Amino acid sequence: MDTKLFRLAFLLMASQLLAICASGQIYMTKTGQTSFFSETPLENISAVNQQVAVLLNSASGEIAVRMQHRAFSFPNKLMQEHYNENYMETEKYPAASFTGKFSEPIDYARDGTYAVSAEGVLDIHGVRQKRVLKGQLVVDHGQCILNCEFDVRLSDHHIQVPTLVIAKIAESISVKNKFVLTGKKNP
């Protein structure tokens, strides 16, 4: 690429990035909490992950969530082993993610509670699925608290359950998220 053309392209991209950054703020956490629960007549399975990374751009409404499967903590180590090795295949699919954008405008400068929905892509077990996730966003003195609950059907993400234990694992898993995001002012 021509040096002058490269400089012009770089300046255009930099000016667009500065315009976006100047009008917004990035909210983030590396200690978000995601839990899941599987209820069946034979056995309940639950786990919590307190190392979920989340970025929220207040200017664009874009949100990105990423978690490592091995960070889920189970009350029973055997459940944790089965989750990682047999169901989630964490050697092959180490992480789950959601990238999307809020549909509603939010006034991040004003404390309040907002019903939100984010349209985006949920990636679990290597299967990307378009989803609209609904929740509640609380803006409180410079931080955002995002709560979101949704269900994940195992078959939607090609997660196989052996016939021997099919009665112990629900077909649909209830997922709960609580993310406390702090603001980081952009330059």
Side-chain angles (χ1 to χ4, degrees):
M1 178 185 274
D2 179 305
T3 305
K4 288 182 182 180
L5 186 59
F6 177 77
R7 286 182 188 160
L8 180 61
F10 178 77
L11 287 173
L12 284 171
M13 288 188 328
S15 66
Q16 288 175 340
L17 182 60
L18 286 174
I20 290 170
C21 290
S23 65
Q25 188 171 25
I26 300 295
Y27 293 88
M28 60 185 291
T29 186
K30 292 181 182 178
T31 58
Q33 180 176 305
T34 295
S35 63
F36 68 80
F37 185 71
S38 166
E39 181 177 18
T40 67
L42 294 179
E43 185 173 29
N44 293 334
I45 300 170
S46 63
V48 177
N49 183 334
Q50 296 183 15
Q51 300 173 22
V52 181
V54 183
L55 287 174
L56 169 62
N57 183 326
S58 68
S60 66
E62 293 174 303
I63 184 165
V65 179
R66 184 168 174 86
M67 68 189 77
Q68 297 295 317
H69 290 297
R70 289 203 178 271
F72 276 101
S73 176
F74 290 74
N76 174 321
K77 292 294 179 197
L78 186 58
M79 284 182 185
Q80 190 162 344
E81 183 179 320
H82 286 289
Y83 170 83
N84 285 305
E85 293 177 10
N86 301 334
Y87 306 116
M88 297 312 295
E89 302 175 274
T90 56
E91 290 295 319
K92 190 173 181 181
Y93 310 107
S97 66
F98 176 79
T99 54
K101 185 174 182 176
F102 287 130
S103 303
E104 304 78 14
I106 299 161
D107 185 353
Y108 293 91
R110 179 181 295 175
D111 288 356
T113 301
Y114 302 86
V116 293
S117 57
E119 185 173 339
V121 176
L122 180 65
D123 185 345
I124 299 175
H125 200 245
V127 177
R128 296 170 50 87
Q129 184 183 57
K130 287 185 178 182
R131 294 284 302 262
V132 175
L133 303 181
K134 297 181 180 207
Q136 181 184 65
L137 181 72
V138 178
V139 177
D140 185 24
H141 295 89
Q143 75 176 11
C144 295
I145 303 165
L146 178 61
N147 292 293
C148 174
E149 295 183 25
F150 59 94
D151 291 333
V152 174
R153 292 187 53 78
L154 299 181
S155 61
D156 288 348
H157 293 278
H158 303 237
I159 300 169
Q160 303 294 318
V161 179
T163 309
L164 290 172
V165 293
I166 197 94
K168 292 184 176 184
I169 299 174
E171 292 178 23
S172 185
I173 307 297
S174 174
V175 179
K176 293 183 181 181
N177 299 283
K178 182 174 184 178
F179 307 136
V180 179
L181 308 164
T182 55
K184 177 182 177 192
K185 192 66 178 169
N186 290 327

